[in-house]
Amino acid sequence: MSTELTYEVRRLRGKAEMQAALQLRHEVFCVEQGVPEREELDGRDGDGVHLVAVSDGEVLATCRLLFVGPTVQFSRLAVRQTARRHGIASALLALADDETRSGGARRLVLHAQTYARSLYDGAGYEPRGRVFMEAGIEHIAMEKVLG
Ligand SMILES: CC(C)(COP(=O)(O)OP(=O)(O)OC[C@H]1O[C@@H](n2cnc3c(N)ncnc32)[C@H](O)[C@@H]1OP(=O)(O)O)[C@@H](O)C(=O)NCCC(=O)NCCS
């Protein structure tokens, strides 16, 4: 049984939180998962809506939404190792739905790492197409159309 962890999920605020989110992404994707820095930083962060989970001023998790017409591309979902399995990623996915609706879009698409597919299944995403390799990691495209 995991201990209680209190956090809030919301839009990222200000430069210091952006730096903290980028640092977390670096630790999770580049250090933990071996993704090359040039793929992690794709030049599109300035166009994105960034969401965070924060606890006592510390950024515990982050993700990014890119609005492309009626579709949101969801990516860069990273949760600090010590904060996993407390529902934080699920809470960010729920907030991403709200942001998608309020931004006037109806569909979310993402590339799920196959090991974490049940996270997205549980959030109502459906697989599209075959498993493929991206940044050396097995992925599957998934999407969700909001009702
Ligand atoms: C994948 C990740 C985002 C999940 O974050 P999280 O906050 O721990 O996820 P949640 O607590 O909301 O998990 C919800 C459900 O997703 C599934 N899930 C989460 N982590 C999982 C894992 N490592 N393996 C298998 N299923 C997992 C489980 O069904 C889980 O429900 P349960 O805890 O009741 O079993 C986190 O482990 C992470 O940052 N991993 C490294 C980066 C990464 O892989 N990002 C995702 C790219 S697609």
Side-chain angles (χ1 to χ4, degrees):
M1 187 73 183
S2 58
T3 50
E4 194 73 26
L5 176 65
T6 311
Y7 57 85
E8 63 167 332
V9 289
R10 56 165 170 77
R11 277 194 187 205
L12 176 148
R13 294 180 196 142
K15 284 186 185 163
E17 279 190 3
M18 188 71 222
Q19 278 313 312
L22 289 173
Q23 179 63 31
L24 176 60
R25 278 168 38 179
H26 177 81
E27 282 163 21
V28 170
F29 294 117
C30 303
V31 178
E32 180 185 338
Q33 296 194 323
V35 174
E37 188 77 33
R38 66 179 180 282
E39 292 190 37
E40 206 294 292
L41 292 174
D42 61 358
R44 302 194 69 190
D45 285 323
D47 306 327
V49 172
H50 298 265
L51 307 180
V52 285
V54 179
S55 179
D56 279 336
E58 187 191 3
V59 172
L60 295 182
T62 186
C63 65
R64 182 181 80 185
L65 280 60
L66 287 171
F67 283 76
V68 184
T71 296
V72 163
Q73 295 174 353
F74 180 95
S75 70
R76 304 303 190 272
L77 173 61
V79 179
R80 192 173 295 288
Q81 241 169 355
T82 51
R84 290 179 190 166
R85 304 308 272 259
H86 289 274
I88 294 180
S90 306
L92 285 173
L93 284 165
L95 181 58
D97 287 359
D98 296 343
E99 288 281 349
T100 299
R101 278 197 192 88
S102 56
R106 293 284 304 278
R107 178 169 164 261
L108 296 108
V109 296
L110 55 81
H111 290 172
Q113 294 189 21
T114 51
Y115 87 93
R117 197 185 134 174
S118 62
L119 168 68
Y120 302 103
D121 288 331
Y125 283 78
E126 299 199 340
R128 293 284 177 263
R130 294 190 188 172
V131 168
F132 59 94
M133 297 301 282
E134 187 175 73
I137 299 170
E138 203 177 85
H139 284 79
I140 187 162
M142 298 186 83
E143 73 167 40
K144 177 177 185 177
V145 178
L146 299 173

PDB file of all heavy atoms in Angstrom, residues 21 31 34 36 39 47 57 60 74 77 79-80 91 93 100 105 109 111 120 127 129 136 140 145:
ATOM      1  N   ALA A  21      10.457  21.630 -15.117  1.00  0.00           N
ATOM      2  CA  ALA A  21       9.817  20.618 -15.965  1.00  0.00           C
ATOM      3  C   ALA A  21      10.822  20.061 -16.981  1.00  0.00           C
ATOM      4  O   ALA A  21      10.884  18.843 -17.215  1.00  0.00           O
ATOM      5  CB  ALA A  21       8.604  21.222 -16.679  1.00  0.00           C
ATOM      6  N   VAL A  31      18.216  10.493 -19.119  1.00  0.00           N
ATOM      7  CA  VAL A  31      19.049   9.721 -18.187  1.00  0.00           C
ATOM      8  C   VAL A  31      18.440   8.335 -17.958  1.00  0.00           C
ATOM      9  O   VAL A  31      19.111   7.314 -18.122  1.00  0.00           O
ATOM     10  CB  VAL A  31      19.216  10.487 -16.849  1.00  0.00           C
ATOM     11  CG1 VAL A  31      20.045   9.662 -15.874  1.00  0.00           C
ATOM     12  CG2 VAL A  31      19.846  11.855 -17.093  1.00  0.00           C
ATOM     13  N   GLY A  34      17.335   6.841 -21.830  1.00  0.00           N
ATOM     14  CA  GLY A  34      18.345   6.853 -22.888  1.00  0.00           C
ATOM     15  C   GLY A  34      17.927   7.539 -24.179  1.00  0.00           C
ATOM     16  O   GLY A  34      18.513   7.305 -25.237  1.00  0.00           O
ATOM     17  N   PRO A  36      17.988  10.394 -26.839  1.00  0.00           N
ATOM     18  CA  PRO A  36      18.952  11.457 -27.139  1.00  0.00           C
ATOM     19  C   PRO A  36      18.349  12.838 -26.849  1.00  0.00           C
ATOM     20  O   PRO A  36      17.175  13.075 -27.125  1.00  0.00           O
ATOM     21  CB  PRO A  36      19.227  11.292 -28.638  1.00  0.00           C
ATOM     22  CG  PRO A  36      18.783   9.915 -28.979  1.00  0.00           C
ATOM     23  CD  PRO A  36      17.687   9.569 -28.016  1.00  0.00           C
ATOM     24  N   GLU A  39      16.343  14.617 -29.477  1.00  0.00           N
ATOM     25  CA  GLU A  39      14.965  14.169 -29.719  1.00  0.00           C
ATOM     26  C   GLU A  39      14.035  14.647 -28.612  1.00  0.00           C
ATOM     27  O   GLU A  39      12.874  14.943 -28.850  1.00  0.00           O
ATOM     28  CB  GLU A  39      14.908  12.639 -29.816  1.00  0.00           C
ATOM     29  CG  GLU A  39      15.605  12.134 -31.053  1.00  0.00           C
ATOM     30  CD  GLU A  39      15.351  10.650 -31.306  1.00  0.00           C
ATOM     31  OE1 GLU A  39      14.231  10.173 -31.054  1.00  0.00           O
ATOM     32  OE2 GLU A  39      16.295   9.980 -31.746  1.00  0.00           O
ATOM     33  N   ASP A  47       5.548  26.301 -28.409  1.00  0.00           N
ATOM     34  CA  ASP A  47       4.195  26.262 -28.989  1.00  0.00           C
ATOM     35  C   ASP A  47       3.216  25.495 -28.115  1.00  0.00           C
ATOM     36  O   ASP A  47       2.026  25.435 -28.420  1.00  0.00           O
ATOM     37  CB  ASP A  47       4.216  25.541 -30.353  1.00  0.00           C
ATOM     38  CG  ASP A  47       5.230  26.154 -31.299  1.00  0.00           C
ATOM     39  OD1 ASP A  47       5.432  27.375 -31.211  1.00  0.00           O
ATOM     40  OD2 ASP A  47       5.812  25.401 -32.109  1.00  0.00           O
ATOM     41  N   GLY A  57       5.663  23.027  -3.847  1.00  0.00           N
ATOM     42  CA  GLY A  57       6.505  23.833  -4.733  1.00  0.00           C
ATOM     43  C   GLY A  57       7.404  23.031  -5.649  1.00  0.00           C
ATOM     44  O   GLY A  57       8.143  23.605  -6.454  1.00  0.00           O
ATOM     45  N   LEU A  60       6.516  17.566  -9.755  1.00  0.00           N
ATOM     46  CA  LEU A  60       6.605  16.100  -9.669  1.00  0.00           C
ATOM     47  C   LEU A  60       6.367  15.430 -11.020  1.00  0.00           C
ATOM     48  O   LEU A  60       6.715  14.265 -11.213  1.00  0.00           O
ATOM     49  CB  LEU A  60       5.565  15.548  -8.700  1.00  0.00           C
ATOM     50  CG  LEU A  60       5.688  15.904  -7.230  1.00  0.00           C
ATOM     51  CD1 LEU A  60       4.591  15.208  -6.449  1.00  0.00           C
ATOM     52  CD2 LEU A  60       7.062  15.500  -6.695  1.00  0.00           C
ATOM     53  N   PHE A  74      -0.480  14.952 -27.605  1.00  0.00           N
ATOM     54  CA  PHE A  74      -0.084  14.850 -26.197  1.00  0.00           C
ATOM     55  C   PHE A  74       1.270  14.151 -26.135  1.00  0.00           C
ATOM     56  O   PHE A  74       1.454  13.086 -26.733  1.00  0.00           O
ATOM     57  CB  PHE A  74      -1.141  14.024 -25.452  1.00  0.00           C
ATOM     58  CG  PHE A  74      -0.854  13.837 -23.990  1.00  0.00           C
ATOM     59  CD1 PHE A  74      -1.413  14.682 -23.044  1.00  0.00           C
ATOM     60  CD2 PHE A  74      -0.029  12.812 -23.561  1.00  0.00           C
ATOM     61  CE1 PHE A  74      -1.149  14.514 -21.693  1.00  0.00           C
ATOM     62  CE2 PHE A  74       0.249  12.632 -22.207  1.00  0.00           C
ATOM     63  CZ  PHE A  74      -0.321  13.492 -21.279  1.00  0.00           C
ATOM     64  N   LEU A  77       5.146  13.144 -21.304  1.00  0.00           N
ATOM     65  CA  LEU A  77       4.585  12.819 -19.979  1.00  0.00           C
ATOM     66  C   LEU A  77       5.661  12.143 -19.129  1.00  0.00           C
ATOM     67  O   LEU A  77       6.123  11.044 -19.447  1.00  0.00           O
ATOM     68  CB  LEU A  77       3.383  11.885 -20.139  1.00  0.00           C
ATOM     69  CG  LEU A  77       2.787  11.327 -18.849  1.00  0.00           C
ATOM     70  CD1 LEU A  77       2.276  12.449 -17.943  1.00  0.00           C
ATOM     71  CD2 LEU A  77       1.654  10.353 -19.184  1.00  0.00           C
ATOM     72  N   VAL A  79       6.848  11.500 -14.936  1.00  0.00           N
ATOM     73  CA  VAL A  79       6.564  11.585 -13.500  1.00  0.00           C
ATOM     74  C   VAL A  79       7.847  11.212 -12.762  1.00  0.00           C
ATOM     75  O   VAL A  79       8.506  10.210 -13.099  1.00  0.00           O
ATOM     76  CB  VAL A  79       5.427  10.612 -13.100  1.00  0.00           C
ATOM     77  CG1 VAL A  79       5.151  10.687 -11.601  1.00  0.00           C
ATOM     78  CG2 VAL A  79       4.157  10.912 -13.894  1.00  0.00           C
ATOM     79  N   ARG A  80       8.207  12.029 -11.788  1.00  0.00           N
ATOM     80  CA  ARG A  80       9.401  11.750 -10.983  1.00  0.00           C
ATOM     81  C   ARG A  80       9.315  10.322 -10.439  1.00  0.00           C
ATOM     82  O   ARG A  80       8.247   9.892  -9.985  1.00  0.00           O
ATOM     83  CB  ARG A  80       9.476  12.769  -9.834  1.00  0.00           C
ATOM     84  CG  ARG A  80      10.787  12.786  -9.095  1.00  0.00           C
ATOM     85  CD  ARG A  80      10.833  13.945  -8.101  1.00  0.00           C
ATOM     86  NE  ARG A  80      10.796  15.257  -8.752  1.00  0.00           N
ATOM     87  CZ  ARG A  80      11.809  15.798  -9.443  1.00  0.00           C
ATOM     88  NH1 ARG A  80      12.955  15.150  -9.553  1.00  0.00           N
ATOM     89  NH2 ARG A  80      11.686  16.985 -10.001  1.00  0.00           N
ATOM     90  N   ALA A  91      -4.140  11.835 -13.531  1.00  0.00           N
ATOM     91  CA  ALA A  91      -4.699  13.165 -13.266  1.00  0.00           C
ATOM     92  C   ALA A  91      -4.294  14.150 -14.370  1.00  0.00           C
ATOM     93  O   ALA A  91      -5.099  14.988 -14.795  1.00  0.00           O
ATOM     94  CB  ALA A  91      -4.230  13.663 -11.900  1.00  0.00           C
ATOM     95  N   LEU A  93      -3.666  13.326 -17.485  1.00  0.00           N
ATOM     96  CA  LEU A  93      -4.442  12.965 -18.674  1.00  0.00           C
ATOM     97  C   LEU A  93      -5.870  13.514 -18.582  1.00  0.00           C
ATOM     98  O   LEU A  93      -6.433  13.971 -19.583  1.00  0.00           O
ATOM     99  CB  LEU A  93      -4.464  11.442 -18.850  1.00  0.00           C
ATOM    100  CG  LEU A  93      -3.171  10.846 -19.401  1.00  0.00           C
ATOM    101  CD1 LEU A  93      -3.135   9.329 -19.194  1.00  0.00           C
ATOM    102  CD2 LEU A  93      -3.012  11.169 -20.891  1.00  0.00           C
ATOM    103  N   THR A 100      -8.111  20.321 -23.678  1.00  0.00           N
ATOM    104  CA  THR A 100      -8.442  20.092 -25.088  1.00  0.00           C
ATOM    105  C   THR A 100      -9.812  20.683 -25.401  1.00  0.00           C
ATOM    106  O   THR A 100      -9.973  21.430 -26.376  1.00  0.00           O
ATOM    107  CB  THR A 100      -8.413  18.576 -25.385  1.00  0.00           C
ATOM    108  OG1 THR A 100      -7.086  18.106 -25.133  1.00  0.00           O
ATOM    109  CG2 THR A 100      -8.792  18.276 -26.827  1.00  0.00           C
ATOM    110  N   ALA A 105     -10.657  21.874 -29.175  1.00  0.00           N
ATOM    111  CA  ALA A 105     -10.340  20.647 -29.910  1.00  0.00           C
ATOM    112  C   ALA A 105     -11.139  19.489 -29.331  1.00  0.00           C
ATOM    113  O   ALA A 105     -11.713  19.586 -28.241  1.00  0.00           O
ATOM    114  CB  ALA A 105      -8.840  20.368 -29.858  1.00  0.00           C
ATOM    115  N   VAL A 109      -4.162  12.743 -29.615  1.00  0.00           N
ATOM    116  CA  VAL A 109      -3.357  11.647 -30.154  1.00  0.00           C
ATOM    117  C   VAL A 109      -2.033  11.601 -29.399  1.00  0.00           C
ATOM    118  O   VAL A 109      -1.543  12.629 -28.918  1.00  0.00           O
ATOM    119  CB  VAL A 109      -3.096  11.804 -31.670  1.00  0.00           C
ATOM    120  CG1 VAL A 109      -4.389  11.730 -32.451  1.00  0.00           C
ATOM    121  CG2 VAL A 109      -2.360  13.100 -31.981  1.00  0.00           C
ATOM    122  N   HIS A 111       1.797   8.936 -28.768  1.00  0.00           N
ATOM    123  CA  HIS A 111       2.587   7.723 -28.972  1.00  0.00           C
ATOM    124  C   HIS A 111       2.865   7.141 -27.592  1.00  0.00           C
ATOM    125  O   HIS A 111       3.651   7.693 -26.830  1.00  0.00           O
ATOM    126  CB  HIS A 111       3.908   8.044 -29.690  1.00  0.00           C
ATOM    127  CG  HIS A 111       3.718   8.448 -31.124  1.00  0.00           C
ATOM    128  ND1 HIS A 111       4.741   8.933 -31.910  1.00  0.00           N
ATOM    129  CD2 HIS A 111       2.611   8.412 -31.909  1.00  0.00           C
ATOM    130  CE1 HIS A 111       4.261   9.185 -33.125  1.00  0.00           C
ATOM    131  NE2 HIS A 111       2.976   8.888 -33.145  1.00  0.00           N
ATOM    132  N   TYR A 120      -3.006   4.482 -20.610  1.00  0.00           N
ATOM    133  CA  TYR A 120      -3.822   5.154 -21.622  1.00  0.00           C
ATOM    134  C   TYR A 120      -5.128   4.401 -21.874  1.00  0.00           C
ATOM    135  O   TYR A 120      -6.157   5.028 -22.125  1.00  0.00           O
ATOM    136  CB  TYR A 120      -3.006   5.329 -22.906  1.00  0.00           C
ATOM    137  CG  TYR A 120      -1.737   6.110 -22.672  1.00  0.00           C
ATOM    138  CD1 TYR A 120      -0.496   5.479 -22.599  1.00  0.00           C
ATOM    139  CD2 TYR A 120      -1.781   7.479 -22.473  1.00  0.00           C
ATOM    140  CE1 TYR A 120       0.661   6.187 -22.361  1.00  0.00           C
ATOM    141  CE2 TYR A 120      -0.627   8.207 -22.229  1.00  0.00           C
ATOM    142  CZ  TYR A 120       0.597   7.554 -22.170  1.00  0.00           C
ATOM    143  OH  TYR A 120       1.744   8.263 -21.918  1.00  0.00           O
ATOM    144  N   PRO A 127      -5.920   2.101 -29.358  1.00  0.00           N
ATOM    145  CA  PRO A 127      -4.729   1.958 -30.214  1.00  0.00           C
ATOM    146  C   PRO A 127      -5.062   2.159 -31.675  1.00  0.00           C
ATOM    147  O   PRO A 127      -6.169   1.856 -32.120  1.00  0.00           O
ATOM    148  CB  PRO A 127      -4.293   0.518 -29.949  1.00  0.00           C
ATOM    149  CG  PRO A 127      -5.521  -0.182 -29.489  1.00  0.00           C
ATOM    150  CD  PRO A 127      -6.379   0.830 -28.807  1.00  0.00           C
ATOM    151  N   GLY A 129      -3.091   1.337 -35.308  1.00  0.00           N
ATOM    152  CA  GLY A 129      -1.937   0.851 -36.074  1.00  0.00           C
ATOM    153  C   GLY A 129      -1.035  -0.079 -35.278  1.00  0.00           C
ATOM    154  O   GLY A 129      -1.406  -0.587 -34.223  1.00  0.00           O
ATOM    155  N   GLY A 136      14.384   4.455 -29.978  1.00  0.00           N
ATOM    156  CA  GLY A 136      14.851   3.174 -29.457  1.00  0.00           C
ATOM    157  C   GLY A 136      13.890   2.493 -28.502  1.00  0.00           C
ATOM    158  O   GLY A 136      14.247   1.505 -27.843  1.00  0.00           O
ATOM    159  N   ILE A 140       3.192   2.602 -29.448  1.00  0.00           N
ATOM    160  CA  ILE A 140       2.000   2.400 -30.277  1.00  0.00           C
ATOM    161  C   ILE A 140       1.214   3.714 -30.293  1.00  0.00           C
ATOM    162  O   ILE A 140       1.117   4.397 -29.259  1.00  0.00           O
ATOM    163  CB  ILE A 140       1.132   1.215 -29.781  1.00  0.00           C
ATOM    164  CG1 ILE A 140       0.002   0.944 -30.765  1.00  0.00           C
ATOM    165  CG2 ILE A 140       0.612   1.451 -28.366  1.00  0.00           C
ATOM    166  CD1 ILE A 140      -0.635  -0.420 -30.638  1.00  0.00           C
ATOM    167  N   VAL A 145     -11.233  10.410 -28.757  1.00  0.00           N
ATOM    168  CA  VAL A 145     -12.135  11.453 -29.229  1.00  0.00           C
ATOM    169  C   VAL A 145     -13.072  11.787 -28.078  1.00  0.00           C
ATOM    170  O   VAL A 145     -13.723  10.891 -27.513  1.00  0.00           O
ATOM    171  CB  VAL A 145     -12.917  10.993 -30.478  1.00  0.00           C
ATOM    172  CG1 VAL A 145     -13.885  12.079 -30.917  1.00  0.00           C
ATOM    173  CG2 VAL A 145     -11.939  10.659 -31.604  1.00  0.00           C
TER     174      VAL A 145
END
